[in-house]
């Protein structure tokens, strides 16, 4: 479903070679740009935990952060994102300047 009263067209996914844009990342796909999960990373700065919206990137996909203030987000060490992003993944923190860090991995229990 989507806002059909805004004009244009609404599609499940859009391919603009070599990329495929879709709302939710799909395992086993490549050249994919998606949203839905709105990843965020928690880092320690001056002894305090801070959370930043972030892009997640590997050699096959890019998952976009939330752009709204009230959109929430899924920690990038969540098992769902850990399964989607191939190792080594990169989290690119948003803010005044983009800061790349190795993607925190889910803890194995």
């Amino acid at each position: 479903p989507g806002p059909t009263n805004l004009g244009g067209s609404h599609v499940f996914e859009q391919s603009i070679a070599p990329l495929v844009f879709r709302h939710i990342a799909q395992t086993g796909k490549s050249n994919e740009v998606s949203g839905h999960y709105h990843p965020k990373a928690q880092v320690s700065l001056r002894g305090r935990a801070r959370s930043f919206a972030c892009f997640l990137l590997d050699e096959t996909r890019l998952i976009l952060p939330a752009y709204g203030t009230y959109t929430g987000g899924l920690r990038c060490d969540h098992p769902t994102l850990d399964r989607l992003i191939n190792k080594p993944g990169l989290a690119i923190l948003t803010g005044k300047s983009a800061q790349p860090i190795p993607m925190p991995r889910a803890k194995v229990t």
Side-chain angles (χ1 to χ4, degrees), residues 2 77 102:
D77 61 355

Side-chain angles (χ1 to χ4, degrees), residues 40-41 74-82 103-107:
K40 60 183 179 180
L74 187 63
R75 284 181 50 151
C76 62
D77 61 355
H78 189 279
T80 298
L81 294 173
D82 194 55
M103 182 181 156
R105 306 314 308 190
K107 293 180 176 65

Side-chain angles (χ1 to χ4, degrees), residues 11-14 20-26 32-38 63:
V11 296
F12 176 73
E13 66 182 35
Q14 178 68 46
V20 176
F21 298 85
R22 61 174 54 97
H23 180 68
I24 301 175
Q26 296 179 8
E32 178 182 76
V33 178
S34 66
H36 182 72
Y37 295 109
H38 308 299
I63 299 178

Side-chain angles (χ1 to χ4, degrees), residues 47-62:
R48 297 184 62 160
R50 296 265 327 263
S51 185
F52 293 89
C54 64
F55 294 85
L56 294 182
L57 177 69
D58 69 13
E59 71 278 359
T60 64
R61 74 171 30 98
L62 173 66

